[in-house]
Amino acid sequence: MAIVAEAEPVVRLTAWVRGHVQGVGFRWWTRSRALELGLVGSASNLRDGRVEVNAEGPESACRELVVALRSGATPGRVESVVERWSAARGGLTGFAER
């Protein structure tokens, strides 16, 4: 009898990254990590100096992205990452820098 693995839930991660993260290649770096993980979404500069990251895909891949955002290996300097988890909305393709 074969064991059927349960499909991993697809989720939406919204992360707000604070620190010196604009004008240093942070969105490009985030896009690269997200694409490596098979995620879709975007990274956008906010007026208050933060970057907002929206990513959808398997929960484990989204969690890996959060670890990467907090890793200290990013361009610039990340002071904090606030995350919100929700159900995937779908309809996204690729990963955009906005």
Side-chain angles (χ1 to χ4, degrees):
M1 174 186 235
I3 297 175
V4 178
E6 203 171 305
E8 184 174 1
V10 174
V11 299
R12 180 180 183 92
L13 162 69
T14 303
W16 294 274
V17 184
R18 183 178 300 283
H20 179 61
V21 291
Q22 290 190 8
V24 293
F26 184 85
R27 289 176 300 144
W28 176 87
W29 181 90
T30 300
R31 177 182 181 272
S32 296
R33 300 297 78 76
L35 291 173
E36 289 170 0
L37 293 166
L39 300 172
V40 295
S42 63
S44 309
N45 284 337
L46 299 177
R47 289 185 180 170
D48 64 5
R50 295 177 299 163
V51 169
E52 180 179 281
V53 177
N54 289 292
E56 289 190 5
E59 184 176 0
S60 62
C62 286
R63 291 196 181 280
E64 283 187 56
L65 182 59
V66 171
V67 169
L69 294 173
R70 290 186 170 129
S71 69
T74 67
R77 184 185 70 256
V78 172
E79 293 173 3
S80 67
V81 179
V82 175
E83 57 196 85
R84 180 178 70 198
W85 297 89
S86 57
R89 297 179 191 165
L92 299 172
T93 57
F95 201 94
E97 294 174 58
R98 297 184 178 153

